[in-house]
Amino acid sequence: MFCTIPEEIQVKTLLVLEIGDILTCRLLCRQTRDIIDGSIELQYRKELAAAGMVDTTKASYMPLRERLQRLRTYEKAYRSAPLSYRPMLASVDPDDYEVWWNSTGGMVPYTAKDILYTWRPPSINRGVSEGTWSYGPNVVDTKAVDWVAIDLAQDLMVTLQWIDDDDHKTLECRLLSVSLKGAPHPLAARSFFFLAAEALQGSAHVHVQILGDLIGYAIHGPIQSLLVSNWKTDYVVWRYNYFGWARAYFYLLDASTIFLIEGYSMRLHTFDATRRAFDNLSMHSGIDYCELELPPLLDGAKPFIHSADAQIHPASYPDCNPVFSADPAQAVIAVSYTIRKSPAATHLLMLVPVDTLRKQFAYAKEERKQNGNARVVIPWDVWGPDGVRCILLTDMPSRLSVVGSRCAIWMRWQAWRDDSTDGTADVLIFEARPWVHLAAGSPQAVGRDPALEKYLVDQASYGQHSLFASPLRANLPYRLTHRHFYFGRVVLTASMFLLEDGLAVALRPDRLPPLDNEPDNSEPSAGEPAGFDLLLT
C-alpha cells in the first residue's frame, strides 16, 4: 500500500521517521529503496545521523544540495585532510608565560604575557566565522587564572583564579560579560565570589561547565568538592564532597540530572534547581537516583581512574548561522581507567553516550515506582554491552579530549629531549554512536590499520581477558581515525584538544614544523611565533 502513494508523499512520510525506521523501510521493496537512495532530503538525514550532526533551523536559507555537499566535505576533512599550520600569536617570546586550555563553548582560551585571549576557530564548511577577543590585566591575572569557561549565547565568561593571602590560597570565581570586554555580567547575582576554601589545602585542580542558568564546579584536592550553582540567583543547588585524592567527575545532562563518576563507579543523581543545597561541606544534596554497574573484575584487580571528559551541549554562535552542529543526543562521556592485577595491567577507555544514560534514567524511574522509590542498581549486562563502547588499550593515553560524540586520545606523545629526538605523536579519534557504521571510515567500511596494533588490544581477546570476571562485550558501533604527527624539535607542548571542526595542538617549537608530517632538517628562523594551531578542517 505504501508503495502505491505518490513519491513526494512517501519522502515526506519517511522524513518524520527515526533513521532506523527509514533504513527498515528501505528493505520493503526495490521501489522504496530507490526512492530513499535518490532523495536528497533522506540522504542528508542519513548522513547527518552517521556524522553525529543535526541540521540547524538557521540554515534554511541554504539549498539542501549545498548543505549535503558541505557535510560530506566536512566529514572528509575531519578524517584525512592535510594539516595546516598558522601562527596564533604574531610574536611571542618563548620565555613568556603561556597557557592553553581545552576548548569551551566553541572557543579556545589562552594567555600570553598579561593578556587573556579567547579565539573562535573558523569553519568554512559549517559557516562559522573566525573571531578573537582579548582581556587585559584589569580583568584577569593571567599568572593566577586556572580555568576559563565561555557561553557566547549568554554573553558569559567564567574565570577561576588563585588569590594568595598570606599562607592561604583562595579560589576566586568571576562572572564576566564577553560583549562588555570583561565587565561584571549584568544578570549575575554576584560578579565574584570564593569557592570551597576547605577543599584547597595543598594543590588542587578545577573544572567548570555551563548549562543555561547553572554552572558546575569540580575542585580536585584533598577534598573532592563538586557543586552546581545558579549564577542568576546565587543558589548552590547541588553539592557532593568526599575525602581522598582519587578524582570524581560529574556532568550536567540537563537542569535536574547529573552523571557522577567516582572511582570505578557511575551513578545518576537528581536535584531541584529551585532549592538551595546544604551549606555543610560534609553533607551531600540531591537524590542518588541509580547506580550503573561497570564490568565486573576478578578478585585482586584494582581499577584507577585517570581522567574523564565531555562536551555534551554544542556551542551556540549568536552572530553566525552554522549549517550543522554536533547532536547533543549523540554526545559521549569518555572515562579512562587503568586496571592492575600483578603482573598484568590493561587500560580501559569507556565511551558512554548521553542517550544511553537517558534510557537508563527512564528505566530506573519505572523501577523506583515499583520498589517504593528505593535506589536502583542496574547490572552491567543490562545496560553496558549494547549501550557503551569499551576499548582496551596497550598503553595509558597521555591526553584525552571529547567534543560531541568524538573522543581523541594522544598515545605515546614524545617531545623533543635532545639533539637526536624529534617530537611525534599518534592520535586516535573514536566516534561512538548508533549509526556511525553508515559513515566512511568505520571499521565496517575500511580495513584495519596495521599501525593500530601496538595501541589497541585485539577485540577477539575481550571474551577471555585476564582481568575481567566475565567476557567484556562491546557492541556499540564506532569509527576510528588514526593520525601520526611529526612536529620536529618541540621545546614544550602547551595543549592538545579537539574542536568541533578539527584537532588543535598548541606548541612552542624552536622552528616551524613541516607541513607534510615528514622530517625537515631546516634551521629555525628568527622571530618565529611560539604558538601554533594545527587544524584538520
Side-chain angles (χ1 to χ4, degrees):
M1 180 66 71
F2 180 74
C3 298
T4 62
I5 63 178
E7 180 177 323
E8 59 272 18
I9 297 180
Q10 290 189 49
V11 171
K12 291 184 180 296
T13 302
L14 291 167
L15 284 172
V16 302
L17 301 179
E18 297 293 336
I19 186 65
D21 296 329
I22 293 176
L23 296 177
T24 300
C25 290
R26 189 176 179 275
L27 304 176
L28 287 176
C29 64
R30 181 180 299 176
Q31 179 184 347
T32 305
R33 182 197 64 190
D34 293 342
I35 289 174
I36 293 175
D37 292 346
S39 167
I40 294 292
E41 294 95 333
L42 291 170
Q43 285 300 306
Y44 185 52
R45 175 79 180 280
K46 185 182 77 170
E47 294 188 30
L48 279 173
M53 297 286 170
V54 289
D55 189 50
T56 62
T57 55
K58 294 181 181 180
S60 58
Y61 65 91
M62 183 179 293
L64 193 60
R65 189 176 297 276
E66 182 177 348
R67 278 184 269 172
L68 178 59
Q69 183 58 45
R70 286 197 178 199
L71 177 63
R72 289 173 174 172
T73 304
Y74 170 87
E75 278 286 279
K76 182 179 180 181
Y78 213 111
R79 293 194 314 274
S80 57
L83 290 177
S84 60
Y85 295 80
R86 65 185 295 273
M88 284 287 296
L89 308 174
S91 61
V92 176
D93 188 326
D95 294 329
D96 285 339
Y97 191 82
E98 182 182 344
V99 176
W100 303 71
W101 288 278
N102 206 345
S103 59
T104 167
M107 308 286 286
V108 179
Y110 62 96
T111 61
K113 292 188 176 180
D114 56 354
I115 304 296
L116 169 65
Y117 297 90
T118 57
W119 173 65
R120 181 173 67 192
S123 173
I124 297 176
N125 295 317
R126 289 201 309 122
V128 177
S129 60
E130 184 175 11
T132 302
W133 293 258
S134 61
Y135 310 89
N138 60 313
V139 176
V140 293
D141 180 355
T142 57
K143 290 182 172 59
V145 67
D146 199 287
W147 196 269
V148 179
I150 299 170
D151 185 348
L152 281 181
Q154 300 190 91
D155 191 36
L156 176 64
M157 179 170 68
V158 182
T159 65
L160 296 180
Q161 61 185 47
W162 295 102
I163 305 296
D164 287 326
D165 183 12
D166 296 330
D167 296 330
H168 301 284
K169 292 174 64 178
T170 306
L171 194 59
E172 181 189 56
C173 177
R174 296 187 182 184
L175 307 177
L176 309 175
S177 166
V178 175
S179 64
L180 297 178
K181 301 184 182 301
H185 199 291
L187 298 181
R190 283 194 293 172
S191 60
F192 73 93
F193 54 91
F194 300 100
L195 280 172
E198 296 89 342
L200 303 179
Q201 302 170 6
S203 60
H205 302 276
V206 297
H207 180 269
V208 178
Q209 53 188 305
I210 304 172
L211 176 60
D213 294 348
L214 303 178
I215 303 178
Y217 305 90
I219 306 172
H220 306 294
I223 300 176
Q224 305 291 313
S225 180
L226 315 178
L227 61 94
V228 176
S229 69
N230 187 314
W231 62 280
K232 294 180 180 178
T233 63
D234 199 29
Y235 284 7
V236 174
V237 297
W238 180 81
R239 185 190 297 275
Y240 188 87
N241 304 285
Y242 79 99
F243 293 87
W245 284 101
R247 291 189 183 183
Y249 299 84
F250 78 97
Y251 297 95
L252 286 161
L253 303 184
D254 52 44
S256 63
T257 312
I258 283 172
F259 179 51
L260 176 65
I261 308 162
E262 183 183 343
Y264 201 64
S265 170
M266 296 182 178
R267 302 198 295 277
L268 291 172
H269 278 223
T270 60
F271 64 95
D272 186 346
T274 64
R275 299 181 59 183
R276 286 183 183 270
F278 299 112
D279 292 329
N280 189 335
L281 189 66
S282 64
M283 299 182 68
H284 307 321
S285 63
I287 300 174
D288 189 355
Y289 207 77
C290 71
E291 178 182 355
L292 303 172
E293 290 188 341
L294 298 185
L297 305 176
L298 291 175
D299 292 340
K302 296 181 179 180
F304 303 90
I305 187 169
H306 284 298
S307 61
D309 192 35
Q311 288 193 42
I312 299 172
H313 309 285
S316 178
Y317 306 99
D319 58 334
C320 299
N321 295 318
V323 180
F324 44 84
S325 60
D327 184 357
Q330 297 198 57
V332 301
I333 299 169
V335 190
S336 173
Y337 290 100
T338 290
I339 302 172
R340 292 192 178 97
K341 183 181 180 182
S342 184
T346 193
H347 305 276
L348 172 64
L349 176 65
M350 301 185 68
L351 304 179
V352 185
V354 170
D355 185 59
T356 294
L357 297 177
R358 296 192 189 284
K359 291 177 180 177
Q360 301 314 309
F361 182 85
Y363 171 80
K365 185 176 182 179
E366 295 300 318
E367 289 292 308
R368 288 173 69 96
K369 288 180 181 179
Q370 299 178 18
N371 61 15
N373 221 27
R375 179 170 171 267
V376 176
V377 177
I378 304 178
W380 168 256
D381 286 342
V382 172
W383 80 283
D386 295 322
V388 178
R389 167 50 65 172
C390 291
I391 301 160
L392 295 181
L393 306 169
T394 60
D395 201 358
M396 182 180 71
S398 60
R399 173 77 174 167
L400 183 151
S401 179
V402 178
V403 172
S405 59
R406 291 186 171 103
C407 171
I409 61 173
W410 281 261
M411 303 296 295
R412 298 187 183 180
W413 170 264
Q414 180 177 326
W416 173 72
R417 299 298 182 189
D418 52 47
D419 290 340
S420 62
T421 307
D422 290 326
T424 61
D426 280 293
V427 180
L428 309 183
I429 303 176
F430 296 93
E431 302 174 66
R433 48 184 179 266
W435 307 110
V436 72
H437 62 281
L438 301 177
S442 67
Q444 293 85 348
V446 297
R448 185 176 179 84
D449 185 347
L452 298 177
E453 294 180 0
K454 61 183 178 181
Y455 298 127
L456 301 181
V457 176
D458 188 354
Q459 191 164 338
S461 67
Y462 283 22
Q464 50 186 2
H465 199 279
S466 60
L467 295 178
F468 295 96
S470 59
L472 183 63
R473 293 184 290 131
N475 302 326
L476 183 67
Y478 77 100
R479 176 171 65 174
L480 172 59
T481 302
H482 170 228
R483 303 301 295 273
H484 177 77
F485 302 128
Y486 177 88
F487 294 121
R489 301 295 171 82
V490 180
V491 177
L492 174 66
T493 303
S495 188
M496 298 182 286
F497 44 84
L498 268 181
L499 302 170
E500 196 165 344
D501 296 286
L503 176 69
V505 182
L507 305 173
R508 297 179 70 179
D510 62 354
R511 64 180 174 83
L512 187 67
L515 292 179
D516 56 2
N517 292 344
E518 293 297 330
D520 180 2
N521 297 320
S522 61
E523 294 297 323
S525 60
E528 285 180 350
F532 290 92
D533 171 58
L534 286 67
L535 292 178
L536 299 187
T537 62

